[in-house]
Amino acid sequence: MAFLKILYRDRSRPSLQAIILGCVVALAIFGCGEKKTPVPDETAGHTSYEQLLSFFEDWRAFQKPKVSDGVPDYSASAMQTQYQEFAAYKSRLAAIDTSGWTISQRVDYHLVLAEMNGLDFEHRVHRQWARNPAFYAQIFSSQSDTPAHEGPEIHGAIELWQYDYPLNDEDAAELTAKIQAVPSVLNQAKLNLVENCRDLWQGSIRRMNQQVDELSEYAKQVSENVDLVAAVEAAGSATLDFVTWLEAEAPTKTGPSGVGVDNYNWYLKHVQLLPYTWQDEVTLMRRELARAMTSLKLEEHRNRNLPPAEPIASSEEHSQKFNAAVSEYLAFLDEQEIVPMRDYMDQALRERIGQFIPPDGYRHFFAQVDLRDPVVMRTHHYHWLELARMANEPHASPIRQVPQLYNIFSGRSEGLATGVEEMLMHAGLFDNRPRARELIWILLAQRAARALGSLHMHSNDWTIEQAVEFACKWTPRGWLQPEGRLVWFEQDLYLKQPFYGSSYVTGKAEIEKLLAERALQQGDAFTLKGFMDEVNKAGVIPVSLVRWELTGLDDEIMSMLK
C-alpha cells in the first residue's frame, strides 16, 4: 500500500477519493475489524457506510480555506462564508443513519463528527487566523513524532523535511513556488490579526524568529539553486518584517489568550471525546505530580549508595550507547511479549538516534534524560513505531488512515507513548539499572508540571511567564531551565492548542483505565501483547473510541452526546 506515503509527503498525497476507491472493496470483503454484522442495505431504510466515506471526502475538501496564487484565504469575509456554509455539512452528517452499523463503522462516524466539532470550535472560540500570529508560520524543517504537527497548522505548510536532497529540478521548482507565496501570506496576516491576545502575540514573536533562522539555514543548504535561494531570501526578509510589525504592535496586546474553562470543557467533550472537565484534569495533574515526586524520592533513597548516572561524554560513546539502546529496547519488547514485532521497527528507531550534544551546547530537559540512559527515551519513541505502523500497516478505514484534524489524535498518541515509559519500567525494563527508574519519575513530574501550567493559562489564571516559572520550579534537578528555549516552546504550544499540554498524562490515564477494563473482561485470557496489538490495530484515535471498539462499552461516548 504505497499510497500511505501520504503520511510523510503532502505533495505526493492522492485525493481522499483515490484512497476511498482503493479501500471500499477491502471494506466490503473484510469489514472494519468486525465480520458478523454486514453493512446495512440502503433498501432497508438505512444509510450505507460508503455514504459516510463519500461525505468524509467532501468534508475534508470543504474545511480547507480557499487558495488563490498559493495563498490561503483566512480573511474575515472568507471565514464568515465558510462558517455559514458549514451548517449544510452538519445537516448532512446528522442525516446519516448509523442504525445497524458495526461498532467500528460507528466509531468512524464519531471521528468525523469530532472533526466537524473541531471546525465549529475554531470559528466560535479559537479563531487562530485572528488571534495567533504564529498560525501564519509556514516553514517546518523537521517531522513531528505524531501523526501530524502538534498545534494549529496553516493550510499549505511547507514541509522541508519531506524532500530528498540535493533537490531535483521538479522539487526545486515546486518549493520555489511555495516559498514565493510566504510574503503574501504574511501581508494578509497583518490584516487578519485583529484580536487582543497578549501571550499568543509574545509567543508568536519567538516562533517567527525561528522561521527567520530556518530560512537563513535553508538558503545555505540549497545554495546551488539560484531561483529557490531568491525565494527563500525574500521569504526571510518578509518574515523579519513581520517580526518587526509584531514587536511594534505588542504593547497594544494586553488581553487574555486562554479559551476559558467553559470553552475548554466543551472542547474536551465534543472534539477530544474525553470524559473529563478542566477541573478533573487539574486534579489528575496535581495527583500525578505528587506521585511522581514522591516516587522519585523513594527511588533516590533506595539508590543512595549507588554512583550517579553520568551523561554520555563523546560522539563515539553516543553512537555506541544509543544504537545499543535501540537493540535492548526492541529485544525487551520481543522477549517479554509486549507487542507483536515487525521488521520495520528497527529502522524506525535507528533513524531517530540524533546527534551528540557537547557539554557547552544546549542540553534541554530531554537531552539531560537521554544522555544519562538512552533506553529511557526509546520507550517514548514508541511514537516512531506508530508512524511506521501507519505507513506499513494502514487501517482498513480511509477515515483512520489519515491523521485527524485539530490534533484529535493527541490523547491517544501522547498518552500511549507516555504510558509506555512507566508500563515498561514496571514490566522490568530497568531492573538492572536502578538510576533509570529515577528518570521515569522525572519525566512524569515534568509532564504533570507543564500540564498544570497549560491548564491555568487556558483558565486565564496564569500568564505564560507564570506557567513557565511553575514548570521549571517543579521539574526535578533544575533540568528545565527558564532561560532555555524548550519550556517557552512547550507552553506556547499548549496555549495555542487546548488539551495538548495535559494530553500526555490524561491520555496515559485513559490507556491505563482501558487496560484494566480489558483485563477484567478477558480474565485469564488477557495478555499484554494482545492488548497492545488490539490498541494498535484500532488506530491513533481518541481512547474513548478505542474503548468502545475493544470492549463494546459505549457508555462514555453516549454520555458525551447528551
Side-chain angles (χ1 to χ4, degrees):
M1 292 195 178
F3 62 80
L4 255 293
K5 291 179 181 177
I6 56 173
L7 292 171
Y8 299 97
R9 190 158 187 169
D10 286 344
R11 66 195 185 92
S12 63
R13 180 180 296 175
S15 68
L16 282 168
Q17 183 178 15
I19 296 176
I20 291 169
L21 289 174
C23 293
V24 165
V25 173
L27 287 165
I29 297 173
F30 300 109
C32 290
E34 300 178 49
K35 301 182 178 63
K36 294 182 179 179
T37 307
V39 174
D41 189 280
E42 289 183 77
T43 59
H46 297 298
T47 312
S48 74
Y49 175 70
E50 282 69 28
Q51 284 181 276
L52 176 66
L53 299 182
S54 179
F55 173 81
F56 180 63
E57 180 186 8
D58 292 346
W59 151 247
R60 279 298 186 97
F62 166 76
Q63 58 81 31
K64 299 175 183 177
K66 301 292 190 294
V67 178
S68 177
D69 296 326
V71 180
D73 188 357
Y74 288 101
S75 65
S77 59
M79 292 296 94
Q80 182 180 14
T81 297
Q82 185 188 58
Y83 197 50
Q84 290 170 344
E85 295 174 352
F86 179 45
Y89 284 83
K90 290 193 288 186
S91 297
R92 283 181 61 188
L93 183 66
I96 294 178
D97 179 9
T98 64
S99 301
W101 288 18
T102 66
I103 291 177
S104 291
Q105 291 167 344
R106 293 168 69 194
V107 163
D108 282 356
Y109 177 93
H110 285 281
L111 281 173
V112 179
L113 177 59
E115 285 196 350
M116 296 182 71
N117 287 337
L119 182 63
D120 184 58
F121 186 81
E122 286 299 309
H123 279 279
R124 291 188 301 102
V125 179
H126 221 196
R127 298 184 302 279
Q128 293 287 325
W129 49 83
R131 301 173 72 241
N132 174 26
F135 177 69
Y136 294 95
Q138 293 175 270
I139 304 300
F140 292 87
S141 299
S142 58
Q143 181 185 9
S144 294
D145 59 4
T146 50
H149 284 297
E150 302 97 325
E153 179 181 339
I154 191 171
H155 177 67
I158 303 167
E159 309 283 357
L160 301 179
W161 58 271
Q162 290 181 336
Y163 293 83
D164 297 324
Y165 295 89
L167 296 166
N168 59 39
D169 291 344
E170 180 183 355
D171 287 350
E174 180 180 285
L175 275 167
T176 299
K178 288 183 176 181
I179 294 175
Q180 282 175 339
V182 169
S184 296
V185 169
L186 297 178
N187 285 335
Q188 184 196 128
K190 294 176 184 179
L191 301 175
N192 297 344
L193 290 162
V194 297
E195 299 200 29
N196 180 12
C197 302
R198 183 247 186 199
D199 288 346
L200 285 174
W201 204 271
Q202 294 293 337
S204 296
I205 293 173
R206 289 185 289 271
R207 175 63 180 95
M208 300 312 293
N209 271 319
Q210 177 188 337
Q211 178 161 299
V212 171
D213 294 340
E214 287 176 321
L215 287 166
S216 177
E217 289 301 312
Y218 193 62
K220 299 173 186 177
Q221 182 180 352
V222 297
S223 59
E224 74 286 349
N225 190 295
V226 176
D227 292 340
L228 179 54
V229 169
V232 171
E233 290 177 345
S237 296
T239 307
L240 189 59
D241 175 73
F242 188 61
V243 170
T244 301
W245 179 76
L246 291 176
E247 291 173 338
E249 294 289 317
T252 69
K253 304 300 179 181
T254 58
S257 296
V259 299
V261 171
D262 289 343
N263 287 324
Y264 189 93
N265 288 341
W266 190 94
Y267 181 80
L268 288 184
K269 181 177 181 179
H270 296 282
V271 182
Q272 293 293 339
L273 303 183
L274 274 167
Y276 288 76
T277 64
W278 178 89
Q279 186 59 59
D280 292 336
E281 286 206 294
V282 169
T283 301
L284 176 62
M285 298 309 141
R286 287 174 178 167
R287 170 62 189 133
E288 286 298 272
L289 179 57
R291 187 174 73 91
M293 295 295 288
T294 301
S295 299
L296 171 62
K297 291 306 164 185
L298 292 172
E299 292 285 355
E300 289 174 340
H301 179 77
R302 187 175 72 169
N303 300 336
R304 64 191 182 279
N305 296 321
L306 298 177
E310 297 294 340
I312 289 170
S314 68
S315 295
E316 293 75 20
E317 184 184 7
H318 180 278
S319 178
Q320 186 273 321
K321 287 191 173 180
F322 273 66
N323 277 289
V326 170
S327 299
E328 179 180 346
Y329 175 45
L330 292 177
F332 184 84
L333 294 179
D334 185 19
E335 293 166 6
Q336 297 302 314
E337 299 181 336
I338 307 293
V339 298
M341 304 305 292
R342 299 291 188 269
D343 291 341
Y344 54 73
M345 290 180 169
D346 188 90
Q347 180 181 351
L349 293 180
R350 293 194 197 280
E351 288 178 344
R352 303 296 169 174
I353 282 177
Q355 302 295 319
F356 174 66
I357 302 173
D360 59 352
Y362 173 46
R363 290 186 170 179
H364 53 75
F365 169 77
F366 295 106
Q368 296 285 1
V369 173
D370 226 2
L371 290 170
R372 284 167 171 79
D373 193 320
V375 178
V376 171
M377 287 307 296
R378 303 290 78 70
T379 61
H380 194 78
H381 279 203
Y382 198 85
H383 274 311
W384 297 112
L385 300 183
E386 287 220 299
L387 293 186
R389 182 180 296 108
M390 291 175 72
N392 289 278
E393 301 179 66
H395 198 279
S397 164
I399 293 171
R400 302 193 215 182
Q401 288 175 6
V402 292
Q404 284 93 58
L405 303 175
Y406 313 113
N407 283 187
I408 292 171
F409 54 77
S410 58
R412 160 62 176 78
S413 179
E414 299 292 6
L416 184 59
T418 303
V420 162
E421 298 167 5
E422 187 178 340
M423 288 165 61
L424 295 187
M425 178 186 72
H426 293 312
L429 179 57
F430 304 115
D431 283 357
N432 296 325
R433 294 196 310 284
R435 290 291 187 189
R437 295 173 60 90
E438 298 172 12
L439 299 177
I440 295 295
W441 297 120
I442 290 172
L443 284 168
L444 181 57
Q446 191 258 1
R447 267 69 171 267
R450 70 187 187 184
L452 281 165
S454 73
L455 287 163
H456 285 289
M457 284 193 296
H458 276 295
S459 65
N460 291 310
D461 296 324
W462 291 0
T463 65
I464 192 169
E465 289 86 0
Q466 290 172 304
V468 165
E469 180 184 6
F470 182 87
C472 293
K473 176 182 177 180
W474 281 95
T475 296
R477 301 183 182 176
W479 287 352
L480 191 63
Q481 303 163 352
E483 68 275 10
R485 296 187 300 273
L486 176 64
V487 67
W488 292 95
F489 163 79
E490 288 179 334
Q491 293 302 327
D492 184 49
L493 166 63
Y494 306 152
L495 184 57
K496 292 185 294 188
Q497 185 63 57
F499 177 62
Y500 211 99
S502 52
S503 68
Y504 302 78
V505 179
T506 301
K508 173 179 181 291
E510 284 289 279
I511 290 291
E512 291 168 350
K513 182 180 73 175
L514 176 59
L515 189 154
E517 288 184 313
R518 201 72 177 116
L520 185 64
Q521 273 192 335
Q522 294 183 313
D524 291 342
F526 175 85
T527 66
L528 184 57
K529 185 175 183 178
F531 172 76
M532 294 296 289
D533 189 34
E534 61 185 5
V535 168
N536 291 335
K537 287 179 177 178
V540 188
I541 62 175
V543 180
S544 58
L545 293 180
V546 178
R547 175 181 181 267
W548 185 13
E549 185 162 296
L550 268 54
T551 67
L553 302 174
D554 65 355
D555 52 309
E556 283 187 348
I557 291 297
M558 293 303 108
S559 69
M560 287 185 275
L561 293 178
K562 295 178 181 178

